[in-house]
C-alpha cells in the first residue's frame, strides 16, 4: 500500500556466501578477473567478493524481492478491503516472507561493504539495507509475532467505531469526520473526539511489544533502533536529516504562529474565552479535524471576508450529481491535461472507491501498485466533498509516479525520497484553483476575491506543518527508548502542545493511547514524508509556474493543460529512486536543497494580512 511505501519488511539471520556467481553455503575462493582486480583497488574488505559477484547477487535478489512484494501486496489488498481473522493472518504470512528475505539478503550484502562498486550497484545495496520499514528479529517466532501485531493493529484501527449519545448507531471514522467538519456544537464535537480516541486503547500493550521487536530487528541489521532506519533514507546521516527537518520548521514557524493566533481569536469569538483561553493552546477537538492537522473545514469561521462560500465547490459537485467515480475522473482529467497517460482499465475495475456496506475495510486512503507494473489502484471511502477531491489528486499522484518508474530495476521503483511521492499529487492539487474550477464547471464564477482562496489553502497546508513533524518526533523518541511506554501519552501531548499549540480539553492519562488514534501509528507508516511534501510541493509549484510563464501571485497559478510541465514531471517520475533525491529535485526545479522560501512566498500576501489582523493580540501559548 501507498506503493509499498508502508513496506513491512524484516530481518533474519543467515549470512550465505555468494561464490563465483551463485549462492552457496560456503564461499569458495575465486580468482578475480583482470577488470575486477582494477575495480577492487581500494577495497577495504578482503575475500572473494568482486564487482561481478555483486552484480550477480543483485540479479538474483531483485526478481526474488519483486515476487515476494507482489504476493504481499495482493494479500494486503485483500485484507485491507475485507478485514477478517483469516485475511489478517494471510497478510501477516506474506509480510513475514518479505521480512525474512530482505533481512537475509541485506545480511548477505554486507559482503560487498568495502568493495568499490559502480554507483548504481552501490546505491542498490544501500537501498536494500534501509528498505525495511519494519525489520523483525532473527527468531522466526518473534518475526511471526511482529507481523501479526502489525497487521492486527491496523485492523483494530480499520474496525474502529464511535458510539455516543448523539447518534443511535455507532459511527465510522468517515462519519465522525463529517461531524467534526460540519458541527459547531461543542459538546458533540468533544464526544466524537473522545469516542474515536477510545479505539486506540486496546493497542497500547501491542504497540510497546511491536517497538521491542522492531528495534531488535533493526539492531540485527546494524542500526541503533527503527527510527535510525527511517531517518537513514535521505542520502545523508540520520542526525543530519533531523537537523534538516528542524531547519525547515524554523523557516515556517513564524507563519504557523500567526495563523494559530488568528485562528484562536476567531474560535474565541465562536466558542467564548472560557473554552478557548487567551495565551493557551487551542482545544484539539475544535479545529474541524480529528487530529487538528488541517483546518480547512472551518472556512465558515476563518474566511477573511464574508465570502467563504465563494471558494466552496461541494455544492456544485452535489448539484451536478458527481459520484465518487466521477470525482476520480476529474483527477485523471488533470493528469491527462498535462500529457500524461490515462489510467488503465484495470484501475477502474479493481479500485475501491466507496465504503462497502457488507464488510469491514481499512478506509484510510491509499494508492497501490500491486504488481509493480501497471496494476494500479486506489482504496478510499470517497465522500463527495472538497477534502476528498483533494485527496484523490494526492492518491493519483502516487499511481502516476508508480506507473512512470515501472521500467526501473526493482530496487529503484520508488520516488526520489518519500517526500517526493507524497508531494506529486499535492502539486497537482495546488493547481485546483478557482480559475481551474471555473474552467471545469465546478465554480460558477471565478469570483472568490482577495485572500479567501489563499486562506482556504493555508488552513490545509500551513496548519498541517507542525503535525507533520509531531508524529515522527514522537516515534523517533519511542524507538530510541527516550520515551518509555509509561510516558506514551504524556510525550504525545507535550509534542502536540509544543509544535501545534493544541491541547486536549481534559487531561489524558496513561491508560489511554492517543497516538494510536492516528492511522500511521498502528499502520507503521513513517510520517515525516508529509512534512517534507508540504515544503517540496511549493518548490515544485514555483518552478513549474515559472515554466508556464505565469505572472502574478503564486497562488493564482494553475499548471492545468501545460504539456511542458507535464514533461518535466514525467522525467522526474521516470528517474524513480535511481539517483540521489537532490539530483531529481534539481532536474525538476533547478534547486538542490529542500527550502521553505517557496511556501513562504506563496503565502506572503496572507501572512502580511495576518500580521495586521493580529496586531494588539497576545499570540503564542
Ligand atoms: N492520503 C493519505 C495520507 O497521506 C494516504 C497516503 O499517503 O496516500 O495519509
Ligand atoms: N494523508 C496524510 C494524513 O491523512 C497527510 O495528509 O495524515
Ligand atoms: Zn500519500
Amino acid at each position: 500500500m501507498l506503493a509499498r511505501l508502508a513496506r513491512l519488511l524484516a530481518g533474519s539471520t543467515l549470512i550465505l556466501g555468494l561464490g563465483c556467481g551463485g549462492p552457496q553455503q560456503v564461499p569458495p575462493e575465486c580468482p578475480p578477473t583482470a577488470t575486477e582486480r582494477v575495480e577492487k583497488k581500494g577495497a577495504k574488505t578482503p575475500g572473494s567478493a568482486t564487482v561481478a559477484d555483486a552484480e550477480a547477487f543483485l540479479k538474483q535478489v531483485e526478481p526474488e524481492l519483486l515476487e515476494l512484494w507482489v504476493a504481499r501486496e495482493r494479500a494486503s489488498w485483500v485484507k485491507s478491503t475485507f478485514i477478517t481473522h483469516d485475511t489478517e493472518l494471510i497478510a501477516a504470512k506474506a509480510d513475514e516472507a518479505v521480512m525474512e528475505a530482505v533481512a537475509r539478503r541485506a545480511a548477505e550484502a554486507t559482503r560487498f561493504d568495502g568493495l568499490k562498486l559502480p554507483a548504481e550497484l552501490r546505491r542498490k545495496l544501500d537501498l536494500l539495507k534501509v528498505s525495511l520499514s519494519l525489520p523483525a528479529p532473527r527468531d522466526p517466532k518473534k518475526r511471526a509475532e511482529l507481523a501479526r501485531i502489525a497487521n492486527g493493529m491496523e485492523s483494530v484501527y480499520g474496525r474502529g467505531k464511535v458510539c455516543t449519545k448523539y447518534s443511535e448507531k455507532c459511527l465510522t471514522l468517515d462519519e465522525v469526520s463529517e461531524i467534526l467538519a460540519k458541527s459547531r456544537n461543542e459538546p458533540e464535537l468533544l464526544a466524537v473526539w473522545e469516542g474515536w480516541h477510545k479505539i486506540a486503547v486496546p493497542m497500547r500493550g501491542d504497540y510497546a511489544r511491536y517497538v521491542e521487536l522492531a528495534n531488535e530487528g533493526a539492531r540485527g541489521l546494524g542500526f541503533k533502533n527503527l527510527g535510525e532506519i527511517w531517518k537513514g533514507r535521505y542520502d545523508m546521516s540520520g542526525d543530519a536529516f533531523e537537523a534538516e527537518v528542524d531547519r525547515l520548521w524554523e523557516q515556517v514557524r513564524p507563519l504557523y504562529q500567526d495563523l494559530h493566533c488568528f485562528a484562536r481569536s476567531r474560535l474565541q469569538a465562536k466558542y467564548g474565552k472560557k473554552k478557548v483561553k487567551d495565551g493557551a493552546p487551542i482545544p484539539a477537538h475544535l479545529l474541524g479535524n480529528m487530529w487538528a492537522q488541517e483546518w480547512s473545514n472551518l472556512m465558515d469561521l476563518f474566511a477573511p471576508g464574508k465570502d467563504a462560500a465563494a471558494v466552496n465547490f461541494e455544492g456544485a459537485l452535489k448539484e451536478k450529481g458527481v459520484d465518487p467515480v466521477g470525482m476520480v475522473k476529474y483527477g485523471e482529467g488533470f493528469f491527462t491535461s498535462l500529457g500524461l497517460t490515462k489510467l488503465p482499465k484495470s484501475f477502474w475495475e479493481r479500485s475501491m472507491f466507496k465504503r462497502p456496506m457488507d464488510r469491514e475495510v481499512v478506509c484510510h486512503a491509499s494508492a497501490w501498485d500491486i504488481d509493480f507494473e501497471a496494476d494500479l489502484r486506489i482504496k478510499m471511502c470517497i465522500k463527495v466533498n472538497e477534502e476528498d477531491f483533494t485527496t484523490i489528486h494526492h492518491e493519483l499522484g502516487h499511481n502516476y509516479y508508480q506507473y512512470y518508474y515501472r521500467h526501473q530495476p526493482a530496487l529503484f521503483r520508488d520516488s526520489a525520497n518519500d517526500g517526493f511521492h507524497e508531494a506529486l499529487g499535492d502539486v497537482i492539487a495546488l493547481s485546483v484553483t478557482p480559475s481551474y474550477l471555473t474552467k471545469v464547471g465546478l465554480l460558477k464564477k471565478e469570483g472568490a476575491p482577495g485572500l479567501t482562496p489563499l486562506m482556504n489553502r493555508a488552513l490545509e497546508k500551513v496548519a498541517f506543518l507542525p503535525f507533520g513533524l509531531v508524529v515522527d518526533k514522537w516515534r523517533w523518541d519511542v524507538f530510541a527508548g527516550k520515551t518509555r511506554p509509561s510516558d506514551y501519552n504524556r510525550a504525545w501531548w507535550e509534542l502536540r502542545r509544543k509544535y501545534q499549540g493544541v491541547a486536549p480539553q481534559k487531561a489524558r492519562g496513561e491508560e489511554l493511547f492517543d497516538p494510536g488514534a492516528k492511522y500511521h501509528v498502528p499502520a507503521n507508516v513513517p510520517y515525516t514524508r508529509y512534512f517534507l511534501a508540504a515544503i517540496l510541493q511549493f518548490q515544485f509549484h514555483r518552478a513549474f509556474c515559472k515554466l508556464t510563464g505565469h505572472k502574478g501571485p503564486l497562488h493564482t497559478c494553475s499548471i492545468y493543460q501545460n504539456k511542458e510541465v507535464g514533461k518535466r514531471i514525467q522525467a522526474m517520475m521516470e528517474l524513480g529512486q535511481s539517483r540521489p533525491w537532490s539530483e531529481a529535485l534539481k532536474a525538476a526545479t533547478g534547486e538542490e536543497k529542500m527550502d521553505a522560501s517557496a511556501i513562504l512566498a506563496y503565502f506572503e500576501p496572507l501572512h502580511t494580512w495576518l500580521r495586521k489582523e493580529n496586531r494588539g493580540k497576545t499570540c503564542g501559548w
Side-chain angles (χ1 to χ4, degrees):
M1 44 114 44
L2 322 178
R4 78 181 203 277
L5 296 177
R7 274 174 229 185
L8 291 159
L9 312 176
S12 110
T13 51
L14 270 186
I15 303 190
L16 287 177
L18 269 182
C20 321
Q24 310 193 10
Q25 293 295 338
V26 183
E29 284 302 313
C30 313
T33 63
T35 42
E36 285 163 1
R37 264 196 301 275
V38 175
E39 291 286 349
K40 275 183 72 178
K41 259 188 200 159
K44 278 181 234 128
T45 310
S48 60
T50 64
V51 174
D53 288 342
E55 213 161 17
F57 171 75
L58 284 162
K59 254 203 184 106
Q60 285 189 337
V61 167
E62 293 198 274
E64 177 190 337
L65 284 182
L66 204 50
E67 198 176 323
L68 292 170
W69 285 342
V70 175
R72 183 200 53 211
E73 293 305 292
R74 288 198 199 292
S76 179
W77 173 267
V78 174
K79 180 207 74 171
S80 300
T81 56
F82 188 9
I83 308 173
T84 70
H85 174 73
D86 298 311
T87 57
E88 213 176 286
L89 290 182
I90 292 167
K93 272 279 169 238
D95 284 339
E96 275 177 58
V98 182
M99 288 167 151
E100 189 280 326
V102 172
R104 171 169 40 82
R105 292 309 203 169
E108 286 170 15
T110 57
R111 180 160 177 259
F112 307 110
D113 277 357
L115 186 61
K116 192 171 180 300
L117 288 172
E120 182 180 315
L121 295 186
R122 175 54 62 207
R123 186 166 177 80
K124 282 185 182 174
L125 292 172
D126 288 346
L127 287 171
L128 177 67
K129 286 176 204 163
V130 293
S131 71
L132 308 153
S133 272
L134 189 56
R138 295 167 173 229
D139 176 352
K141 271 207 197 111
K142 287 184 175 172
R143 181 164 63 232
E145 185 186 359
L146 181 57
R148 271 203 304 276
I149 290 178
N151 277 279
M153 288 194 299
E154 195 191 6
S155 299
V156 169
Y157 186 95
R159 291 178 200 264
K161 299 282 181 311
V162 182
C163 313
T164 70
K165 64 173 186 192
Y166 293 92
S167 67
E168 273 173 25
K169 62 174 187 92
C170 298
L171 303 178
T172 60
L173 178 59
D174 11 327
E175 288 165 333
V176 294
S177 297
E178 237 177 337
I179 296 175
L180 285 177
K182 301 210 165 120
S183 166
R184 302 292 174 255
N185 175 14
E186 193 274 333
E188 184 182 12
L189 294 174
L190 184 60
V192 298
W193 187 93
E194 287 180 342
W196 176 253
H197 283 76
K198 278 189 203 151
I199 68 111
V201 172
M203 295 172 196
R204 199 178 216 283
D206 278 349
Y207 197 81
R209 179 69 178 149
Y210 138 99
V211 171
E212 267 173 28
L213 292 170
N215 274 343
E216 193 180 325
R219 284 193 300 271
L221 286 161
F223 293 88
K224 275 193 281 186
N225 61 64
L226 181 55
E228 296 301 317
I229 295 187
W230 290 7
K231 285 181 269 181
R233 297 170 168 171
Y234 300 93
D235 305 309
M236 62 179 91
S237 74
D239 287 348
F241 179 66
E242 265 194 76
E244 261 312 80
V245 166
D246 288 339
R247 174 181 68 80
L248 294 167
W249 169 243
E250 284 309 318
Q251 276 187 285
V252 293
R253 194 159 60 101
L255 173 60
Y256 178 74
Q257 287 186 336
D258 282 323
L259 184 67
H260 180 283
C261 191
F262 164 80
R264 186 170 59 197
S265 71
R266 289 282 172 107
L267 287 168
Q268 287 179 327
K270 174 75 191 170
Y271 296 106
K273 285 200 177 187
K274 262 175 95 180
K275 275 272 162 256
V276 185
K277 297 194 177 67
D278 275 331
I282 297 172
H285 62 296
L286 295 182
L287 284 156
N289 172 282
M290 190 59 78
W291 310 276
Q293 69 183 63
E294 279 152 25
W295 307 345
S296 1
N297 290 317
L298 301 188
M299 265 306 271
D300 56 329
L301 304 179
F302 294 172
K306 296 215 175 308
D307 53 359
V311 289
N312 190 311
F313 56 96
E314 183 177 324
L317 287 169
K318 287 184 169 148
E319 258 168 49
K320 279 177 169 265
V322 178
D323 64 359
V325 174
M327 302 249 288
V328 183
K329 291 272 180 199
Y330 276 106
E332 183 194 38
F334 203 121
F335 284 86
T336 54
S337 89
L338 301 173
L340 300 173
T341 186
K342 287 190 101 168
L343 290 162
K345 195 160 146 268
S346 59
F347 170 90
W348 301 101
E349 292 162 355
R350 296 174 195 163
S351 288
M352 186 188 96
F353 299 117
K354 280 191 273 193
R355 179 186 277 276
M357 299 309 289
D358 58 346
R359 58 187 199 265
E360 296 285 1
V361 301
V362 179
C363 262
H364 187 90
S366 54
W368 300 62
D369 177 15
I370 301 279
D371 64 355
F372 296 82
E373 293 288 339
D375 191 349
L376 309 167
R377 308 177 194 180
I378 62 171
K379 176 182 66 57
M380 221 180 134
C381 302
I382 299 175
K383 298 246 181 212
V384 179
N385 63 34
E386 232 176 286
E387 200 175 322
D388 281 5
F389 195 81
T390 305
T391 302
I392 286 167
H393 291 74
H394 174 92
E395 301 307 339
L396 292 186
H398 288 308
N399 283 150
Y400 275 93
Y401 219 142
Q402 291 157 347
Y403 180 80
Y404 281 104
Y405 61 54
R406 74 192 188 289
H407 296 303
Q408 287 287 346
L411 280 163
F412 292 153
R413 283 185 216 172
D414 210 332
S415 53
N417 73 38
D418 55 5
F420 284 61
H421 229 307
E422 300 304 335
L424 208 277
D426 285 8
V427 175
I428 307 296
L430 281 184
S431 281
V432 176
T433 57
S435 98
Y436 164 77
L437 289 166
T438 315
K439 263 190 204 151
V440 297
L442 288 175
L443 270 188
K444 294 234 166 55
K445 52 181 173 57
E446 206 176 307
L451 293 173
T452 299
L454 196 53
M455 175 63 85
N456 201 20
R457 197 70 87 195
L459 296 178
E460 183 194 345
K461 302 293 178 186
V462 179
F464 178 75
L465 292 163
F467 188 73
L469 284 182
V470 160
V471 182
D472 281 354
K473 281 198 178 279
W474 181 80
R475 285 190 289 195
W476 292 340
D477 283 349
V478 166
F479 295 143
K482 286 187 202 150
T483 298
R484 314 291 310 170
S486 53
D487 282 327
Y488 277 171
N489 237 24
R490 188 186 54 72
W492 174 253
W493 285 108
E494 263 175 28
L495 287 166
R496 295 202 56 195
R497 167 188 278 262
K498 176 175 174 194
Y499 288 96
Q500 282 184 288
V502 304
Q505 173 80 10
K506 298 180 204 142
R508 309 284 296 168
E510 290 301 333
E511 72 285 8
L512 303 166
F513 182 53
D514 293 331
K518 176 67 195 166
Y519 173 74
H520 305 66
V521 172
N524 191 55
V525 183
Y527 207 81
T528 311
R529 56 183 61 183
Y530 301 110
F531 175 78
L532 301 180
I535 304 289
L536 278 168
Q537 64 190 262
F538 289 94
Q539 291 180 261
F540 290 129
H541 183 76
R542 178 170 64 183
F544 297 161
C545 290
K546 202 167 159 203
L547 203 60
T548 67
H550 175 81
K551 300 269 176 316
L554 271 176
H555 72 277
T556 60
C557 162
S558 177
I559 60 172
Y560 185 52
Q561 291 175 325
N562 193 297
K563 307 280 189 289
E564 272 311 295
V565 172
K567 276 190 209 144
R568 188 75 77 91
I569 295 177
Q570 185 175 329
M572 183 181 84
M573 295 190 294
E574 280 169 351
L575 273 180
Q577 201 176 198
S578 63
R579 308 291 311 158
W581 62 261
S582 59
E583 285 181 32
L585 185 61
K586 183 143 196 221
T589 67
E591 299 164 39
E592 281 173 276
K593 289 188 81 166
M594 293 189 276
D595 170 32
S597 68
I599 184 173
L600 293 177
Y602 183 100
F603 288 108
E604 185 46 39
L606 181 76
H607 198 181
T608 304
W609 182 85
L610 286 171
R611 282 195 205 98
K612 264 193 229 137
E613 252 334 83
N614 290 339
R615 227 173 258 159
K617 286 185 195 127
T618 322
C619 293
W621 55 87

